[in-house]
Amino acid sequence: MQNNLVRSVSEFNNELKLKGFNVFQIEDDSNATRFYSRKDFYKICLTTGRSIIHYADKSFEQEGTVLFFGNPHIPYSWETISTTYVGYTCLFSDAFLKKSDRSESLLQSPLFKIGGTPILHITEQQREFLSTIFRKMMEEQQTDYAYKDDLIRNYIQLIIHEALKLQPSENYNIHKNAGQRITSVFLELLERQFPIESTDRPLQLKTAQDYAKSLAVHVNYLNRSVKEVTGKSTTAHIAERVCSEAKALLQHTGWSIAQIAYALGFEYPTYFNNYFKRVTGTTPTSFRP
């Protein structure tokens, strides 16, 4: 589609998308929140403190040092409990790491899978070693070295390999109700698809089947769980969120109806118009300011 448009996002997010990676020290970032699109970037954190990490359908309470691996396709959130919380964070896109021949298998490792082991307990000796790698990445990203991206990719892969040799943490607190668990994960994954920031990156997960596949569950199980917990179908939740985003795009961007339709995953504007009217009871043009 021609005439691609991009919605305004934070400067940090723009810089992150431009480079494909960023690494920073957490204690240096305590007074400022870095806003970025979590749906686009993998995350590796080395943190020391006390917190609760919610990852997909599991919650993990940790105290001490852990190494965490975040997948942009799997919902996660972080609750910091201790007053002192230090460490490092590295963010990188799929495209950035895939410039390496070996990256595909690493991203398919248990560290980044929904049923895998994204949280590892780290000893003091391991913390010192991994902290050195993070510091080297921080130093390297400030240089003008022509091959610094290759070097940073090697550092990321080294962290992943070190993690694959460790035993995963097993102190997970599983929610008692499986239906509530998968519903919570679905709703967060749905929200993770938004906001739509560019017309050349259309919505990827559009149907209940798409979400079930991403969550590694049968679509019937997902539909039944969501209906029992919320009283609404999976499809209804998706439709409401898509139309909510459509209203925001109609009111706050100069994109054409065709561009908005494409960005939201519709092949033709007429499909979008009919969908929007069926869900909202009115036409897209009525939401134009």
Side-chain angles (χ1 to χ4, degrees):
M1 187 172 181
Q2 295 180 343
N3 300 322
N4 295 328
L5 299 173
V6 179
R7 295 172 77 179
S8 60
V9 291
S10 70
E11 291 183 5
F12 176 72
N13 195 78
N14 286 331
E15 179 187 1
L16 185 55
K17 285 191 172 183
L18 181 64
K19 297 194 303 183
F21 76 93
N22 191 282
V23 57
F24 53 91
Q25 195 166 0
I26 293 175
E27 50 261 61
D28 289 344
D29 197 52
S30 58
N31 295 322
T33 301
R34 293 175 182 259
F35 294 101
Y36 68 97
S37 179
R38 288 195 295 173
K39 65 184 178 182
D40 294 328
F41 299 98
Y42 288 84
K43 180 178 186 178
I44 302 177
C45 285
L46 178 69
T47 60
T48 302
R50 187 180 175 205
S51 64
I52 300 177
I53 303 169
H54 304 285
Y55 184 88
D57 59 349
K58 300 175 182 178
S59 294
F60 174 76
E61 184 170 352
Q62 65 89 12
E63 186 167 4
T65 301
V66 296
L67 189 62
F68 169 78
F69 294 84
N71 184 328
H73 308 297
I74 301 175
Y76 63 86
S77 61
W78 211 294
E79 295 180 38
T80 301
I81 299 175
S82 58
T83 56
T84 302
Y85 203 79
V86 298
Y88 302 89
T89 294
C90 177
L91 304 168
F92 59 92
S93 67
D94 181 76
F96 177 78
L97 198 64
K98 280 188 175 178
K99 290 181 180 178
S100 167
D101 294 335
R102 296 171 295 172
S103 65
E104 185 68 34
S105 60
L106 293 179
L107 293 179
Q108 295 301 316
S109 74
L111 298 172
F112 293 105
K113 287 192 173 182
I114 192 167
T117 55
I119 304 167
L120 304 168
H121 184 71
I122 301 299
T123 66
E124 179 60 23
Q125 182 179 8
Q126 292 164 342
R127 186 193 68 79
E128 292 177 359
F129 174 71
L130 291 169
S131 294
T132 300
I133 300 176
F134 276 97
R135 285 194 296 268
K136 286 183 177 296
M137 285 195 290
M138 290 175 60
E139 293 170 1
E140 200 58 49
Q141 75 175 351
Q142 301 300 324
T143 71
D144 295 325
Y145 179 50
Y147 303 104
K148 71 175 182 179
D149 285 5
D150 292 331
L151 187 52
I152 288 174
R153 274 189 284 272
N154 288 336
Y155 285 139
I156 293 173
Q157 291 170 357
L158 177 57
I159 293 173
I160 294 174
H161 281 298
E162 288 296 318
L164 288 172
K165 295 189 292 184
L166 301 176
Q167 290 296 316
S169 299
E170 297 179 352
N171 186 25
Y172 287 109
N173 299 316
I174 307 299
H175 296 278
K176 293 181 179 180
N177 188 302
Q180 290 180 344
R181 183 171 70 242
I182 198 63
T183 298
S184 176
V185 174
F186 158 70
L187 291 174
E188 187 171 347
L189 182 58
L190 172 62
E191 188 60 32
R192 185 70 64 85
Q193 308 312 305
F194 304 93
I196 300 297
E197 298 168 346
S198 172
T199 57
D200 65 353
R201 299 189 66 186
L203 187 67
Q204 295 300 306
L205 302 182
K206 294 174 283 189
T207 67
Q209 183 68 52
D210 292 338
Y211 281 90
K213 183 178 180 181
S214 181
L215 296 171
V217 298
H218 195 281
V219 66
N220 292 343
Y221 172 67
L222 176 63
N223 288 334
R224 183 170 61 252
S225 298
V226 171
K227 181 69 173 179
E228 289 176 354
V229 173
T230 69
K232 292 192 295 187
S233 68
T234 309
T235 300
H237 281 286
I238 296 170
E240 289 178 5
R241 188 60 184 88
V242 168
C243 287
S244 174
E245 184 70 8
K247 292 176 184 178
L249 293 171
L250 288 164
Q251 293 175 337
H252 304 298
T253 74
W255 300 359
S256 68
I257 299 294
Q259 287 169 322
I260 292 173
Y262 179 79
L264 291 172
F266 294 90
E267 188 174 1
Y268 300 106
T270 52
Y271 293 174
F272 168 64
N273 288 335
N274 293 336
Y275 182 91
F276 188 89
K277 188 171 183 179
R278 185 174 72 250
V279 175
T280 67
T282 188
T283 63
T285 55
S286 67
F287 277 86
R288 282 296 193 192

